Every structure is written in C-alpha cells, then in structure tokens.
Amino acid sequence: MEFEEKPEGSGSRVDENQLDLGEKHQANRKPGASGKAKLSARQQANAKCDLPRKSLNRYTWQEIQRHNQKTDQWLVINRKIYDVTGWADRHPGGRQVLKHYAGEDATDVFRAMHPDPDIVRLYLKPLLIGELAPEEPNQERNKNSRLVEDFQELRRTLETLNMFNANLGFFFLHLAQILILEALAWVIVWHFGSGWLITIFISFLLTVAQAQGSFLQHDMGHLSIFKKSKWNRLMHKFVMGHLKGLSSKWWNNWHFQHHVKTNIYPKDPDIDIRPLFVIGDLQAVEYGKNRIKFFDYEKQHLIFCLVSPFVTPVYFNLGSILEMCPRRHWEDIAWAISFYIRYFITFGPFYGIFGTMVLIYLVKILESPWIAYVTQMSHISMKISKEENRDWFSSQVLATCNVEHSFFNDWFTGHVNFQIEHHLFPTMPRHNFHKVAPLVKSLCAKHGLPYVKKPMLKAFGDILRALKKYGALWKEAYCTHPEI
C-alpha cells in the first residue's frame, strides 16, 4: 500500500489485486481509458501526495509498532504511514496480507506485489495519517539499511532493463500448448474410442494440460503478463475457473499470504497445515512438548508420499468450495461450473456422467503429486521461523532455494525452479528469471547470504528428508515430556 514514491524511484507496491480497485476508482473519477486519461490520473496522484510536511502527524517506530492488532493496523511505505484497519476487509489480496504487515515497514513488499502503484495511490490516499519523524530511519532499526538500499537499487536497475515487461508470444504459446493437449485428448477418444488404454493415454495428456494450466494461472494471478491488471484478472479467472475448476479468489487469498511471509509460522499457510504435518522445528517441538499426536509424525515423510495424490482433488477443491460458496463469489462459482460443463459436453458422450467424473478426478490425482513436489521443493527444507521482522530481500532468500536451470526443468516446474527470483519479484514475467539470477546471486554474495541451488531430484528428496527430520524432533520432544 503506497501512496508516494521516493524521488529516486524506490517507490513500492501493495497487493497486486489492489490495482483493479484503483482502476475502478479512477474510472469513477475520470471516465475514459485513453493514455491521456491514465497520465492525468498519475499526475493527479503525484499532486495529491505532495502534501506539506507540516500537515502530517509524525510518529516514531516505537509508536507505529504498537498498531499491529486486527482492530488497529498501521503500515509504513516510503516513510508515509497508513491506517488500513477499516479497509482491510476490502483488500483484494485478502485482509490477512495487511494484518501480517501491521506495525511494520511494507515498502519493499508493496513494491514487489504491485506492477504499477500509481493508480493505487488514488485509492489509498484517504488512508494516509502521517509520516515518520525526521530522526527515524527509513525502516526498523533491526534491519540492514545498506542491504535494503542495495536491493532497491537492484530493482530500479531491472526496471530500467525492462525485466518486468512480458513477452506475450511466450505466454500465448503456453496457453496454446494447454488447449492443444485438451483438444488432442478429445480427438483421440472420438477417433479411437474410450477403451482402457486410450483412457489411460488421454489421462496423461490431460494431466500435462492441467499441470501447465496451474503454472499459467500462477503467472496471471501475479499480474505478470498484461500491462493492464483487468486483463490479467480476466484471464486468471478463465484459466483457474474454466480450465481447472477452481476459485481464483481462493488462490489469491491463500497464495499471497505465502508470498508476503514466506516460511513464517503461523502466517504462511503453506507451512501451517496441522494436524496433518508438523513442518519446521518450532511446530515439531511444540506438538511434541504438548503431547499432541494425531498420528505418528515420525512417519510423516511416508504419509506425504501417500497423500500427495490427493492435494489437488481434495485439499484444493475443498478450499476452493469453502471460499466460493459461503462468501457467494458468484463469478468464481460460474467459472468453476463451466469447467465441469465443458468436460461433460466433450467427454460425456463417450463416458457418461459418472465416467466423466471419474476421468476428471483421475486427472486431478495424477496432477497432484507433480504440483505438490514442485511447490514444496523450494521451501520445506529451508529456514522456517516465527516472525523476525527481517528485510524483504533476506527473508525471501533464506526461506527459498532454486533448482538448476534447463529447458526441461523450466517447463516441468513452470519456471518456479527460479523460486528465489520469483519471490523477490513476483510480478516479473518468468521468462526473465534466468536473466536476473546472476545479479541476485551477486547481491547475496555481497551481503553474506546463501544463494542455494540444487538438482531437481535432490530438491524432491529434500522434501522427504526435511519431513523426516521434523518428525524425529517431534518424537524426541514427545518422549522427553511424559504425560503428567
């Protein structure tokens, strides 16, 4: 959430989705979507943010850090202070994202999560309540100011090099790949019939289409393809809803929390999936000391292998339904229903209603381990901790690792083998990750931070080894704290 950029250009961004609200707000003020209208909106935003310093209250970091409760949330962006308490429930990226940064400096995370903060300033201006006192540093005193400045300089360099501009042809071919695979599956059934061998073969084709669809919706959810947020959001609904049968709002609310507080327990929902798993030393010891035993966590690495085929068909589907239906997200519901209608129209004549449902969930079961291993390979074995209020750069680098670059690895993982670069720059088009990786690695070396890169099979194995380690910690704590 930012209203103004520093003169040197180190402005920030809030949650990507806020841009859409910003655009609507702009539309209400100034009809028209021409380049001139957009320029006028930016000039208006800059003019409104150039308030006299004496008109703003001044606060110290000590005062700001007290406003970190659900009913009292302040954020600092570029030394400006915003009270987002009353607005949190309307935040397009979910209220939890704001709550996680309440009482903290959010300059770099805001910049990271928003492709263009200019219009957002218009929408967020009423939330501006003050600024940091002149004697206060730009960020909390526990943060490495030199590292923060170097990272912001790196981002400005990448913007100058156009690393945030997408190659639309790349993403068009990616979407074409998905549609061709789905069409090919239908043609094969139509021509050769619906025998067992044919069904197994088309299931693999559809599995590849679904997995690649997961990676494509990830790009669109981060607003990294089109310059206008509304087109990213529309295509995100199409891919997530029509091609995958899931809710885009559910994905946004869950995934953005993971991005802004990666591997921070319990703020990152990716590592807080109790009671099924205990992830990280803290969870394991906490469960062990409290003698919590839903099952033998010492065997959780084996359980992961057994449940990974059901992450997509059970966990994702259930989460999506619980987000859409109780909250009445009718647009997401309509898109998800269209996914099933499409399958019944194309495959229903060959398999019937029941057989088509079996085909849908067979594909989801086949896709699920692929997505589970790819999404977990970069985080579970890395640093997991409670809130330490680190700077953006070091918090992401310490919680994330990369997987080696190759054509197959890039395709198989949807370029999240460059997870470090993706977490530092979520709105960057993925085809540019390999170009910026050397610069990120150099910055890590300059400040003594590890830049971890692994072979893909080792990264997969590290998931199981980490789970086994956490299970052993749970067992040790469980046995050394006998029941009273």
Side-chain angles (χ1 to χ4, degrees):
M1 310 115 226
E2 174 208 87
F3 302 83
E4 111 177 357
E5 297 186 44
K6 297 174 79 173
E8 64 266 30
S10 62
S12 20
R13 312 180 164 176
V14 191
D15 184 277
E16 321 158 348
N17 290 317
Q18 289 174 330
L19 290 175
D20 195 38
L21 288 179
E23 288 167 354
K24 291 177 181 176
H25 185 73
Q26 179 190 12
N28 290 335
R29 291 184 169 214
K30 279 197 169 190
S34 67
K36 291 183 178 179
K38 185 175 182 181
L39 179 61
S40 174
R42 292 186 178 184
Q43 291 173 337
Q44 182 182 358
N46 291 332
K48 289 190 174 184
C49 290
D50 290 336
L51 298 173
R53 298 182 66 84
K54 63 181 180 180
S55 68
L56 294 176
N57 294 325
R58 295 175 178 180
Y59 299 93
T60 65
W61 277 112
Q62 187 177 9
E63 292 173 306
I64 293 164
Q65 289 165 346
R66 289 198 291 265
H67 299 271
N68 63 350
Q69 306 301 315
K70 182 178 180 180
T71 56
D72 184 15
Q73 301 178 31
W74 289 11
L75 297 177
V76 178
I77 298 168
N78 282 341
R79 299 188 63 85
K80 301 302 182 188
I81 303 167
Y82 306 104
D83 183 351
V84 299
T85 310
W87 183 68
D89 286 336
R90 289 177 286 152
H91 182 225
R95 57 184 172 82
Q96 292 291 354
V97 171
L98 300 183
K99 181 183 175 184
H100 293 339
Y101 266 89
E104 300 180 21
D105 176 60
T107 300
D108 286 330
V109 64
F110 180 78
R111 183 72 169 172
M113 300 298 287
H114 294 81
D116 184 355
D118 291 319
I119 299 175
V120 183
R121 294 193 191 102
L122 287 174
Y123 190 78
L124 295 178
K125 182 187 175 297
L127 307 180
L128 179 63
I129 61 169
E131 64 183 355
L132 286 171
E135 68 274 10
E136 292 293 317
N138 291 341
Q139 57 279 318
E140 299 91 323
R141 288 181 172 82
N142 64 297
K143 294 180 179 177
N144 183 342
S145 60
R146 185 66 227 168
L147 174 56
V148 172
E149 292 168 5
D150 285 349
F151 172 68
Q152 291 173 350
E153 179 61 31
L154 172 61
R155 182 178 182 95
R156 289 193 291 271
T157 300
L158 298 179
E159 289 173 345
T160 302
L161 295 173
N162 295 321
M163 289 295 104
F164 292 89
N165 293 345
N167 180 344
L168 294 182
F170 172 89
F171 292 105
F172 172 79
L173 290 175
H174 194 90
L175 177 60
Q177 167 197 208
I178 296 167
L179 299 179
I180 289 170
L181 285 170
E182 296 218 347
L184 182 60
W186 178 83
V187 168
I188 289 173
V189 174
W190 173 75
H191 190 270
F192 295 102
S194 56
W196 279 106
L197 289 177
I198 295 299
T199 301
I200 292 172
F201 180 68
I202 68 161
S203 295
F204 281 104
L205 293 180
L206 293 171
T207 297
V208 174
Q210 285 293 299
Q212 294 299 319
S214 293
F215 302 140
L216 184 59
Q217 70 81 23
H218 179 250
D219 299 315
M220 293 165 175
H222 280 295
L223 312 182
S224 65
I225 300 179
F226 300 102
K227 291 186 180 297
K228 287 187 175 291
S229 299
K230 65 179 181 180
W231 293 115
N232 283 300
R233 287 199 177 79
L234 176 61
M235 289 302 297
H236 189 220
K237 292 178 187 296
F238 170 75
V239 176
M240 194 62 166
H242 184 66
L243 296 185
K244 296 192 62 62
L246 298 172
S247 165
S248 61
K249 281 188 171 64
W250 160 77
W251 184 87
N252 286 341
N253 291 342
W254 161 60
H255 190 65
F256 294 155
Q257 290 184 68
H258 161 68
H259 263 273
V260 301
K261 289 295 182 181
T262 308
N263 278 14
I264 300 299
Y265 168 70
K267 295 179 178 180
D268 182 354
D270 276 18
I271 62 165
D272 189 14
I273 50 178
R274 300 166 296 171
L276 190 57
F277 297 104
V278 288
I279 299 177
D281 298 357
L282 294 172
Q283 286 184 36
V285 173
E286 176 185 314
Y287 260 44
K289 285 182 176 180
N290 293 320
R291 296 190 63 78
I292 300 174
K293 183 180 180 180
F294 288 92
F295 64 90
D296 187 355
Y297 291 109
E298 199 175 16
K299 304 291 192 301
Q300 68 176 0
H301 57 293
L302 303 177
I303 300 296
F304 179 84
C305 298
L306 295 176
V307 303
S308 61
F310 304 101
V311 172
T312 298
V314 178
Y315 182 67
F316 284 8
N317 269 17
L318 186 61
S320 182
I321 290 170
L322 292 177
E323 174 72 23
M324 290 188 296
C325 297
R327 298 176 184 272
R328 299 180 180 179
H329 295 322
W330 300 117
E331 189 176 2
D332 275 11
I333 291 171
W335 278 111
I337 290 174
S338 74
F339 164 81
Y340 291 94
I341 291 174
R342 177 170 58 87
Y343 259 79
F344 288 137
I345 290 175
T346 52
F347 294 103
F350 308 105
Y351 294 102
I353 294 177
F354 178 77
T356 301
M357 288 298 294
V358 170
L359 176 65
I360 289 172
Y361 281 90
L362 172 61
V363 170
K364 288 182 180 290
I365 287 171
L366 292 174
E367 175 204 8
S368 188
W370 184 344
I371 298 302
Y373 277 87
V374 165
T375 56
Q376 298 306 312
M377 67 183 182
S378 297
H379 297 301
I380 280 188
S381 63
M382 301 301 290
K383 178 181 174 65
I384 297 174
S385 66
K386 289 191 175 181
E387 182 61 73
E388 296 177 342
N389 194 17
R390 288 180 172 270
D391 63 88
W392 175 253
F393 184 82
S394 62
S395 66
Q396 298 300 328
V397 168
L398 292 173
T400 312
C401 70
N402 280 0
V403 165
E404 291 177 345
H405 170 48
S406 71
F407 178 82
F408 176 79
N409 285 359
D410 294 353
W411 173 84
F412 188 81
T413 66
H415 287 84
V416 295
N417 52 326
F418 289 97
Q419 193 75 277
I420 295 174
E421 287 70 29
H422 170 59
H423 267 255
L424 291 173
F425 311 107
T427 62
M428 180 179 288
R430 56 167 143 141
H431 52 70
N432 287 334
F433 289 158
H434 73 280
K435 300 175 185 177
V436 307
L439 297 176
V440 172
K441 185 177 181 179
S442 176
L443 186 56
C444 286
K446 177 179 178 180
H447 290 276
L449 291 169
Y451 182 91
V452 181
K453 182 169 66 174
K454 308 175 181 178
M456 187 158 63
L457 292 180
K458 183 180 186 304
F460 288 164
D462 282 349
I463 298 173
L464 304 181
R465 283 185 282 271
L467 289 172
K468 186 176 182 179
K469 170 196 163 187
Y470 303 144
L473 287 173
W474 168 84
K475 183 73 170 181
E476 180 182 358
Y478 188 89
C479 294
T480 54
H481 290 79
E483 188 173 3
I484 299 176

